[in-house]
Amino acid sequence: MRTIQTIKQASLITAIKTPYTMSGEIDLDAYDRLVEAQISAGVDGIIVGGTTGEGQLMNWEEHLMLIAHSVNKFSKDLVIVGNTGSNNTREAIKATEYGFASGMDAALQINPYYGRTSLSGVKIHFERLLDLGPAFVYNVPGRTGQDLTPDIIEPLAKHVNFIGVKECGGNERIEHYESQGIACWSGNDDEAHDGRHLHQSHGVISVTSNLIPGLFRTLMDSKNSSLNEQLTPLMNWLFCEPNPIAINSALIMTGAVKPVSRLPYVTLSKAQQLQGVELINALNEADVVGGKANIIDETLLKLC
């Protein structure tokens, strides 16, 4: 396991996609190829089984297997962050204990969603989980229905195992935290470049880097407003439906993964795919995981 200071040096962390076989099981061969593409592009770490990786559609056996597999195969090259959060504190504790026993470097922890609790309950939830080992706190009010405001985060940041925040609340809040020494990673790809170079964020936990890891590496390494502007339409397209629908579709379109979706996720409409083909194929093919994009052949598509 890496130290918290080492983990904080990771400026580009990909929320890695989980691919499936035609029978609907996790496709470890395809997964390994996706992760190897991230390593080749210079990505610093991966979130395993996050929202983009569809941890919400896995049982815990699958989820923890994928974390252990990632540690065993890729920990020498990448920071391995296991999404072991849950709206059930007891489940989150159990999963986090297993994740650390498997050797993950850090956990990603979210505040209780749907069955929301009081602010006192949120604080105790995080404190219990931070006691187990290094963790990123994930603030995504659009999914949880509850904003983790500074009055919640700032006391938690004093915990010895607090790494920082994956923050979807915008760059002004990120700058506020960073000015106090609280590490932040942007949770919004379209804000990540400015967050890094204008608002002093530590980096990004990205969806788009699944598809174009090398170009996102460039955005994190140096200020490049023209490249950021060029890629913004693609980033916007990748969020034209709730994540991970579009990134799933994009990686099927480029042939990086098999044409399989776990329900309730389905692929983008043909009109949406046509927009994506135009945006993806405007880039250098060598910069795109899988290469050239094509419309998905619906006769081959499997929903499971």
Side-chain angles (χ1 to χ4, degrees), residues 5-28:
Q5 289 307 313
T6 299
I7 294 168
K8 284 184 176 181
Q9 294 172 18
S11 59
L12 176 55
I13 301 172
T14 296
I16 195 74
K17 150 84 177 157
T18 303
Y20 305 106
T21 66
M22 295 307 293
S23 62
E25 303 303 315
I26 294 175
D27 187 342
L28 289 178

Side-chain angles (χ1 to χ4, degrees), residues 64-121:
L64 295 169
M65 175 279 293
L66 196 58
I67 291 171
H69 173 82
S70 300
V71 169
N72 291 336
K73 190 129 189 179
F74 300 113
S75 62
K76 67 182 185 300
D77 297 310
L78 294 167
V79 174
I80 307 296
V81 182
N83 170 36
T84 54
S86 173
N87 62 348
N88 178 332
T89 305
R90 289 169 64 88
E91 279 199 359
I93 289 171
K94 185 175 181 179
T96 301
E97 288 174 338
Y98 277 121
F100 281 125
S102 298
M104 69 182 185
D105 294 298
L108 180 69
Q109 303 290 359
I110 196 166
N111 52 306
Y113 44 87
Y114 184 70
R116 290 165 53 188
T117 186
S118 64
L119 294 183
S120 295

